[in-house]
Amino acid sequence: MKTGLRGLVLAAALAVAAGLPSGHAQAAERSFRMATGWAGGPLMEIGAKAFAKNVAELSNGRLEVQVFPGGTLGPALKVSETVQQGIADMGHTWPGYDWGADPTAVLFGGYAGSFDTEHMLHWLYRGGGNELWAEWRKEKFNLVAMPLFIRTAEAFLHSRKPVRTLEDLKGLKLRTAGAWLEISKEMGAAPVTTPGGEVYTALERGTIDATEWGTLYEDIAPGFYRVTKYVIIPGVHQPTAPFELVINPKVWDSLSAGDQEIIRQAAFVTTMNSWLTIGQEDAKALAFYREQGNEVIELAPEVQYKAHELGIKWAEGQAKDNPWFAKVLKSQEAFADLWKDAHRYRNVKTQDTE
């Protein structure tokens, strides 16, 4: 793309981020159908729908993204397949849902051995992660992909039972997804997976004892606090969780270079805004849960250490027989090594942090 056009796109992106108009809107020349895995909540509102709004703003209304709730165009947990098949032009999903097809998915979507969201953002946008993600999706799934939405560490569980120790995890029927399905079994739990729209009913009926889903703030919308008593923190199973935009390659190739850049910038702006919004709202959420009569429990250190240890062990095992997994893991390990002293120059100690 020419420098002038890139500059205009970036300026428009900054205008969107600031909530300013980027120009006079016009009738849409091109419309895209977006499948999602969400019935609603922040993933829909500040993820998929926010992306659609940003695309419209950046293109002055020339490009339109029609957002469909999970299950409308295809199964909520199989958005990538819906886009592959051309039923949808693009989709908003979590890469970890495809871990069964290739476990490499969880390295991009986050797992118990991941670094935190600030590190993940730097690896994605400055450490080569974004490029690896695109290459992997293209080779393994024939999809165009890029980050779209990212959250901070999740809540570990909304639970009908108190969970503090490794013993408390024994036999616990919990809803989860991705690598945690395997890792939590090693910790004694009895995990199952199910679309987000079905979790509330499963909790209410006692079909499951507990669920993980999103961050403290994100979990307010589905109302898990109404049918559980305990909020368990921190999210040792998911220290970070990038989500993604997947696009049918024929649709992508039909776009001009300028419109492709608009899509990229809309995804980037949406991702950064989601991180900032969720971080702010998470800070308010604990008080909300306490006001609703929930008890907030912090996991014992032994559980936190064990989860990370098993996450690393799981990843090392996957890398032995999966070249793509090994390639991405090596990149993340190199990034972690580069940043190993970052806490010394980025964090200032105070009496409150001792």
Side-chain angles (χ1 to χ4, degrees), residues 8-25 53-60 269 273:
L8 287 174
V9 171
L10 291 174
L14 290 173
V16 172
L20 301 174
S22 58
H24 298 290
K53 180 179 179 182
N54 288 340
V55 168
E57 289 278 356
L58 290 173
S59 67
N60 289 330
V269 169
N273 279 341

mmCIF file of all heavy atoms in Angstrom, residues 8-25 53-60 269 273:
data_model
loop_
_atom_site.group_PDB
_atom_site.id
_atom_site.type_symbol
_atom_site.label_atom_id
_atom_site.label_comp_id
_atom_site.label_asym_id
_atom_site.label_seq_id
_atom_site.Cartn_x
_atom_site.Cartn_y
_atom_site.Cartn_z
ATOM 1 N N LEU A 8 -3.732 7.734 5.659
ATOM 2 C CA LEU A 8 -5.143 8.067 5.772
ATOM 3 C C LEU A 8 -5.894 7.025 6.594
ATOM 4 O O LEU A 8 -6.742 7.351 7.418
ATOM 5 C CB LEU A 8 -5.760 8.177 4.370
ATOM 6 C CG LEU A 8 -5.375 9.418 3.552
ATOM 7 C CD1 LEU A 8 -5.939 9.306 2.133
ATOM 8 C CD2 LEU A 8 -5.878 10.684 4.219
ATOM 9 N N VAL A 9 -5.576 5.748 6.338
ATOM 10 C CA VAL A 9 -6.233 4.669 7.078
ATOM 11 C C VAL A 9 -5.897 4.746 8.556
ATOM 12 O O VAL A 9 -6.760 4.627 9.432
ATOM 13 C CB VAL A 9 -5.831 3.295 6.507
ATOM 14 C CG1 VAL A 9 -6.328 2.175 7.406
ATOM 15 C CG2 VAL A 9 -6.408 3.120 5.106
ATOM 16 N N LEU A 10 -4.623 4.977 8.870
ATOM 17 C CA LEU A 10 -4.218 5.065 10.266
ATOM 18 C C LEU A 10 -4.857 6.262 10.948
ATOM 19 O O LEU A 10 -5.268 6.196 12.108
ATOM 20 C CB LEU A 10 -2.687 5.147 10.361
ATOM 21 C CG LEU A 10 -1.947 3.870 9.978
ATOM 22 C CD1 LEU A 10 -0.442 4.113 9.960
ATOM 23 C CD2 LEU A 10 -2.274 2.748 10.939
ATOM 24 N N ALA A 11 -4.954 7.382 10.220
ATOM 25 C CA ALA A 11 -5.596 8.566 10.792
ATOM 26 C C ALA A 11 -7.065 8.286 11.081
ATOM 27 O O ALA A 11 -7.605 8.678 12.116
ATOM 28 C CB ALA A 11 -5.465 9.748 9.825
ATOM 29 N N ALA A 12 -7.709 7.577 10.157
ATOM 30 C CA ALA A 12 -9.111 7.222 10.370
ATOM 31 C C ALA A 12 -9.255 6.292 11.562
ATOM 32 O O ALA A 12 -10.201 6.402 12.342
ATOM 33 C CB ALA A 12 -9.682 6.558 9.119
ATOM 34 N N ALA A 13 -8.297 5.367 11.708
ATOM 35 C CA ALA A 13 -8.338 4.443 12.844
ATOM 36 C C ALA A 13 -8.236 5.199 14.156
ATOM 37 O O ALA A 13 -8.935 4.899 15.122
ATOM 38 C CB ALA A 13 -7.201 3.428 12.730
ATOM 39 N N LEU A 14 -7.374 6.200 14.189
ATOM 40 C CA LEU A 14 -7.232 7.005 15.400
ATOM 41 C C LEU A 14 -8.523 7.771 15.679
ATOM 42 O O LEU A 14 -8.929 7.938 16.822
ATOM 43 C CB LEU A 14 -6.061 7.969 15.256
ATOM 44 C CG LEU A 14 -4.677 7.314 15.250
ATOM 45 C CD1 LEU A 14 -3.601 8.353 14.937
ATOM 46 C CD2 LEU A 14 -4.392 6.657 16.589
ATOM 47 N N ALA A 15 -9.183 8.215 14.608
ATOM 48 C CA ALA A 15 -10.444 8.917 14.786
ATOM 49 C C ALA A 15 -11.497 8.002 15.388
ATOM 50 O O ALA A 15 -12.252 8.380 16.273
ATOM 51 C CB ALA A 15 -10.939 9.462 13.435
ATOM 52 N N VAL A 16 -11.542 6.749 14.914
ATOM 53 C CA VAL A 16 -12.493 5.786 15.470
ATOM 54 C C VAL A 16 -12.201 5.541 16.936
ATOM 55 O O VAL A 16 -13.084 5.512 17.781
ATOM 56 C CB VAL A 16 -12.435 4.451 14.688
ATOM 57 C CG1 VAL A 16 -13.264 3.396 15.390
ATOM 58 C CG2 VAL A 16 -12.962 4.666 13.272
ATOM 59 N N ALA A 17 -10.905 5.353 17.263
ATOM 60 C CA ALA A 17 -10.519 5.085 18.645
ATOM 61 C C ALA A 17 -10.923 6.224 19.554
ATOM 62 O O ALA A 17 -11.237 6.034 20.724
ATOM 63 C CB ALA A 17 -9.012 4.847 18.724
ATOM 64 N N ALA A 18 -10.902 7.434 19.027
ATOM 65 C CA ALA A 18 -11.252 8.607 19.831
ATOM 66 C C ALA A 18 -12.747 8.896 19.808
ATOM 67 O O ALA A 18 -13.221 9.821 20.444
ATOM 68 C CB ALA A 18 -10.487 9.826 19.313
ATOM 69 N N GLY A 19 -13.488 8.111 19.008
ATOM 70 C CA GLY A 19 -14.923 8.327 18.924
ATOM 71 C C GLY A 19 -15.304 9.486 18.041
ATOM 72 O O GLY A 19 -16.385 10.061 18.171
ATOM 73 N N LEU A 20 -14.441 9.851 17.103
ATOM 74 C CA LEU A 20 -14.690 10.976 16.227
ATOM 75 C C LEU A 20 -15.124 10.497 14.856
ATOM 76 O O LEU A 20 -14.712 9.444 14.401
ATOM 77 C CB LEU A 20 -13.406 11.813 16.074
ATOM 78 C CG LEU A 20 -12.831 12.375 17.376
ATOM 79 C CD1 LEU A 20 -11.495 13.047 17.078
ATOM 80 C CD2 LEU A 20 -13.789 13.365 18.009
ATOM 81 N N PRO A 21 -15.934 11.290 14.129
ATOM 82 C CA PRO A 21 -16.316 10.901 12.776
ATOM 83 C C PRO A 21 -15.124 10.973 11.849
ATOM 84 O O PRO A 21 -14.295 11.858 11.969
ATOM 85 C CB PRO A 21 -17.392 11.925 12.405
ATOM 86 C CG PRO A 21 -17.099 13.122 13.258
ATOM 87 C CD PRO A 21 -16.559 12.563 14.551
ATOM 88 N N SER A 22 -15.017 10.034 10.894
ATOM 89 C CA SER A 22 -13.884 10.022 9.981
ATOM 90 C C SER A 22 -14.246 10.583 8.616
ATOM 91 O O SER A 22 -13.429 10.610 7.714
ATOM 92 C CB SER A 22 -13.370 8.585 9.813
ATOM 93 O OG SER A 22 -14.402 7.755 9.324
ATOM 94 N N GLY A 23 -15.465 10.997 8.417
ATOM 95 C CA GLY A 23 -15.851 11.566 7.141
ATOM 96 C C GLY A 23 -17.341 11.399 6.924
ATOM 97 O O GLY A 23 -18.081 10.976 7.797
ATOM 98 N N HIS A 24 -17.786 11.772 5.751
ATOM 99 C CA HIS A 24 -19.209 11.669 5.445
ATOM 100 C C HIS A 24 -19.556 10.252 5.020
ATOM 101 O O HIS A 24 -18.931 9.683 4.135
ATOM 102 C CB HIS A 24 -19.574 12.656 4.342
ATOM 103 C CG HIS A 24 -19.340 14.095 4.726
ATOM 104 N ND1 HIS A 24 -20.117 14.747 5.668
ATOM 105 C CD2 HIS A 24 -18.407 14.983 4.319
ATOM 106 C CE1 HIS A 24 -19.679 15.991 5.811
ATOM 107 N NE2 HIS A 24 -18.635 16.160 5.009
ATOM 108 N N ALA A 25 -20.544 9.663 5.661
ATOM 109 C CA ALA A 25 -20.926 8.292 5.344
ATOM 110 C C ALA A 25 -21.603 8.229 3.981
ATOM 111 O O ALA A 25 -22.213 9.192 3.533
ATOM 112 C CB ALA A 25 -21.866 7.757 6.418
ATOM 113 N N LYS A 53 -18.742 -1.664 13.328
ATOM 114 C CA LYS A 53 -18.865 -0.204 13.366
ATOM 115 C C LYS A 53 -17.577 0.457 12.899
ATOM 116 O O LYS A 53 -17.600 1.431 12.141
ATOM 117 C CB LYS A 53 -19.215 0.253 14.787
ATOM 118 C CG LYS A 53 -19.367 1.758 14.918
ATOM 119 C CD LYS A 53 -19.728 2.150 16.344
ATOM 120 C CE LYS A 53 -19.861 3.675 16.473
ATOM 121 N NZ LYS A 53 -20.167 4.077 17.875
ATOM 122 N N ASN A 54 -16.447 -0.072 13.336
ATOM 123 C CA ASN A 54 -15.164 0.503 12.942
ATOM 124 C C ASN A 54 -14.911 0.359 11.446
ATOM 125 O O ASN A 54 -14.366 1.259 10.803
ATOM 126 C CB ASN A 54 -14.035 -0.143 13.741
ATOM 127 C CG ASN A 54 -14.023 0.294 15.194
ATOM 128 O OD1 ASN A 54 -14.595 1.331 15.536
ATOM 129 N ND2 ASN A 54 -13.408 -0.493 16.056
ATOM 130 N N VAL A 55 -15.298 -0.786 10.876
ATOM 131 C CA VAL A 55 -15.158 -0.980 9.434
ATOM 132 C C VAL A 55 -15.987 0.053 8.684
ATOM 133 O O VAL A 55 -15.526 0.665 7.708
ATOM 134 C CB VAL A 55 -15.574 -2.408 9.025
ATOM 135 C CG1 VAL A 55 -15.713 -2.523 7.501
ATOM 136 C CG2 VAL A 55 -14.559 -3.425 9.523
ATOM 137 N N ALA A 56 -17.210 0.262 9.142
ATOM 138 C CA ALA A 56 -18.076 1.243 8.495
ATOM 139 C C ALA A 56 -17.482 2.645 8.591
ATOM 140 O O ALA A 56 -17.477 3.407 7.615
ATOM 141 C CB ALA A 56 -19.465 1.202 9.121
ATOM 142 N N GLU A 57 -16.971 2.998 9.762
ATOM 143 C CA GLU A 57 -16.373 4.318 9.964
ATOM 144 C C GLU A 57 -15.145 4.521 9.085
ATOM 145 O O GLU A 57 -14.999 5.540 8.418
ATOM 146 C CB GLU A 57 -15.991 4.500 11.439
ATOM 147 C CG GLU A 57 -17.162 4.665 12.377
ATOM 148 C CD GLU A 57 -17.679 6.093 12.407
ATOM 149 O OE1 GLU A 57 -17.067 6.951 11.761
ATOM 150 O OE2 GLU A 57 -18.708 6.318 13.066
ATOM 151 N N LEU A 58 -14.262 3.536 9.079
ATOM 152 C CA LEU A 58 -13.012 3.665 8.337
ATOM 153 C C LEU A 58 -13.231 3.701 6.830
ATOM 154 O O LEU A 58 -12.422 4.268 6.088
ATOM 155 C CB LEU A 58 -12.071 2.516 8.698
ATOM 156 C CG LEU A 58 -11.470 2.541 10.103
ATOM 157 C CD1 LEU A 58 -10.703 1.264 10.386
ATOM 158 C CD2 LEU A 58 -10.576 3.742 10.280
ATOM 159 N N SER A 59 -14.292 3.080 6.380
ATOM 160 C CA SER A 59 -14.578 3.049 4.938
ATOM 161 C C SER A 59 -15.592 4.113 4.534
ATOM 162 O O SER A 59 -16.052 4.133 3.386
ATOM 163 C CB SER A 59 -15.109 1.667 4.533
ATOM 164 O OG SER A 59 -16.384 1.416 5.108
ATOM 165 N N ASN A 60 -15.951 4.990 5.469
ATOM 166 C CA ASN A 60 -16.987 5.995 5.219
ATOM 167 C C ASN A 60 -18.289 5.364 4.737
ATOM 168 O O ASN A 60 -18.986 5.908 3.875
ATOM 169 C CB ASN A 60 -16.502 7.039 4.199
ATOM 170 C CG ASN A 60 -15.436 7.949 4.769
ATOM 171 O OD1 ASN A 60 -15.418 8.202 5.968
ATOM 172 N ND2 ASN A 60 -14.540 8.416 3.927
ATOM 173 N N VAL A 269 -7.862 -1.723 16.138
ATOM 174 C CA VAL A 269 -8.499 -0.748 17.023
ATOM 175 C C VAL A 269 -9.485 -1.439 17.962
ATOM 176 O O VAL A 269 -9.530 -1.156 19.168
ATOM 177 C CB VAL A 269 -9.215 0.340 16.190
ATOM 178 C CG1 VAL A 269 -10.100 1.208 17.079
ATOM 179 C CG2 VAL A 269 -8.200 1.217 15.473
ATOM 180 N N ASN A 273 -9.139 -1.502 22.059
ATOM 181 C CA ASN A 273 -10.229 -0.944 22.856
ATOM 182 C C ASN A 273 -10.857 -1.988 23.772
ATOM 183 O O ASN A 273 -11.260 -1.682 24.895
ATOM 184 C CB ASN A 273 -11.297 -0.346 21.934
ATOM 185 C CG ASN A 273 -10.938 1.050 21.445
ATOM 186 O OD1 ASN A 273 -10.101 1.720 22.027
ATOM 187 N ND2 ASN A 273 -11.565 1.472 20.372
#
